[in-house]
Amino acid sequence: MEFTGKDFENFKIHLRKAEQVLKSTRPTANDLFFGIDFVMKKALDNFDADIAKKYALKAANEYADWSAEMCRQIGEHGNNLIKNNQNILTHCNAGALACVDFGTALSPIRIAHYSKKNIFVYVDETRPRNQGASLTAWELAQEKINHAIIADNAAGHFMKRGKIDMVIVGADRIAMNGDVANKIGTYEKAVLAKENNVTFYVAAPSSTFDISAKTGEDIPIEERSEDEILYMHGMDEKGNINKFRISPKESTAKNPAFDVTPAKYITGIITERGVIKPTKEEIERFVGGKIIQQPL
Amino acid sequence: MEFTGKDFENFKIHLRKAEQVLKSTRPTANDLFFGIDFVMKKALDNFDADIAKKYALKAANEYADWSAEMCRQIGEHGNNLIKNNQNILTHCNAGALACVDFGTALSPIRIAHYSKKNIFVYVDETRPRNQGASLTAWELAQEKINHAIIADNAAGHFMKRGKIDMVIVGADRIAMNGDVANKIGTYEKAVLAKENNVTFYVAAPSSTFDISAKTGEDIPIEERSEDEILYMHGMDEKGNINKFRISPKESTAKNPAFDVTPAKYITGIITERGVIKPTKEEIERFVGGKIIQQPL
């Protein structure tokens, strides 16, 4: 659709529609809403559709650059927690493919590797969407970081045997009491980490904190299609990606895409401004009364 | 190979070879060794190859019938623990496909269903071999028992939300202190059950107890091919089973097939002679100084 300066009211209606469509795609991750709000504000702070479009594009680019820099800073702070010869477990993909350039959970791992630390990464396969086995393993392979994919079921076994020194995961949304919503299975790994005295860190920029969520109970959990459990995608011998059924045709599935990890299982949250404890006091001080940091 | 009475010494060598081959297939499950020892003893208690062969076959059939009856009794005792309208989680396949007719973990579920109790079964997919999603879901579907397959990652989430009332799993080997070796991931579910005050039962006949294993540390854990993680099998649209790669070609995997759940996470062990506590005292009284019960 083309809009001119005179059509600015229609353009705003068009923008609001786009905003609604984008925001309705996923309910759980806070940064989706933050990013859209940021671009919307920059676009609507104008009185001319052509200028608004330019500002929207400029804002989106600014946002991407800001996000990459936040993630790099998370990596620097997180790297201080990683010792030489450590084995790190991660769950899902919180890397460059999820964020920009550095990622959140993968940023400390990346920077530890750039600093010549000898590390080994246990990559949770992360059923049902296999983000670990496909995306995270691929990113680590590109960086030549030593790693092995494990079944999500095996993480506890390796922790109990002392094979895992720390866990770093990303976050989709963090409540003001330090409860963290993240990919389904994160809660399981956090409970197992605590049980085995393994430190458990969440890596996330300030834009992931949601001051409207007092606790994890206020975070909506996306329920996704059961087909993600009943079917799977994989590459055949010819390199074609195919969908195939991995369960009986009479069976159904339940597929919550995220879970909430209560703050008590979390050692610390690695942000762009340092590592903070998952407590109400520390998070309130961190967000400083503001909803979130403004990009640059 | 054909043997006559005069060749009994050669037949015994032949039998010992077969015994070694069968025993070397899997190191973790105790019942494999128990079953082979039972048939071997019945065969070798003879002085003639032809008679020995007949006795071996007879013993194998006796063993299967005995095993099915043990499992049925496990089901009766386990059914007493299941209330109406309960939601039960199970991990892996400990059903008719793993044992005979009733299964171990699935036997209480089956008998509760036959008793017209309204139950719902959460079926852990059980990566990497998907025994839950394929075998257990299929068995439950055949019995028309209400169930849903879930990602192994989601079990903790459902427990935290109060959706799961009890867990019943099978066992590959039980140590004399009550530690239980079972399919990888069992330990994770047991820790999560304890954390969420969900009762956690292990269903196993007396032949699963190993008096030579003082604790779980004495139980060998089978490490299996990494291909089980890196590839997957599924059915395409034409109904053909194919192998697919589900991970980057540069990535490796680690694949322990079993884990050990310490006794402290286990509410009780459902045996053919009732439910016992996973303590040294109670297990010693249960096995009564003998290695295991003799079939029939």
Side-chain angles (χ1 to χ4, degrees), chain A residues 125 127 147 188 195 251 265, chain B residues 125 127 147 156 195 251 265:
Chain A
E125 179 182 48
R127 289 286 297 149
H147 67 281
E188 293 198 351
E195 193 74 7
S251 293
Y265 300 107
Chain B
E125 178 182 49
R127 289 285 296 147
H147 67 282
E195 193 73 8
S251 294
Y265 300 107

Side-chain angles (χ1 to χ4, degrees), chain A residues 35 38-43 46 50-66 295-296:
Chain A
F38 177 75
V39 175
M40 281 295 287
K41 189 173 178 307
K42 295 277 178 157
N46 296 287
D50 291 331
I51 297 175
K53 277 190 261 183
K54 275 180 204 150
Y55 271 81
L57 188 63
K58 190 167 170 286
N61 280 317
E62 264 177 33
Y63 186 83
D65 289 343
W66 171 82
L296 300 180

Side-chain angles (χ1 to χ4, degrees), chain A residues 251-269:
Chain A
S251 293
T252 60
K254 288 180 189 283
N255 184 21
F258 302 90
D259 59 25
V260 171
T261 299
K264 66 177 174 178
Y265 300 107
I266 298 166
T267 311
I269 304 173

Side-chain angles (χ1 to χ4, degrees), chain B residues 208-249:
Chain B
T208 305
F209 290 80
D210 175 7
I211 66 161
S212 73
K214 281 189 186 164
T215 74
E217 305 229 332
D218 299 322
I219 301 176
I221 297 296
E222 181 179 2
E223 183 84 24
R224 290 176 60 86
S225 163
E226 62 178 345
D227 282 5
E228 292 185 355
I229 307 276
L230 303 175
Y231 294 85
M232 199 150 174
H233 291 84
M235 196 175 275
D236 66 18
E237 286 171 6
K238 291 173 189 157
N240 301 314
I241 303 275
N242 289 311
K243 185 177 173 182
F244 293 85
R245 178 131 195 150
I246 55 169
S247 54
K249 63 183 189 310

Side-chain angles (χ1 to χ4, degrees), chain A residues 5-22:
Chain A
K6 284 176 288 181
D7 297 326
F8 193 55
E9 287 310 310
N10 284 332
F11 180 65
K12 280 199 276 191
I13 292 166
H14 177 69
L15 262 188
R16 290 283 181 210
K17 248 187 230 166
E19 178 191 7
Q20 276 167 24
V21 168
L22 289 171

Side-chain angles (χ1 to χ4, degrees), chain B residues 1 39 83 173 183 193 224 253 266-268 289 291:
Chain B
M1 251 174 277
V39 176
K83 298 188 188 76
R173 192 185 293 225
K183 185 61 54 200
R224 290 176 60 86
I266 298 165
T267 311
I291 294 187

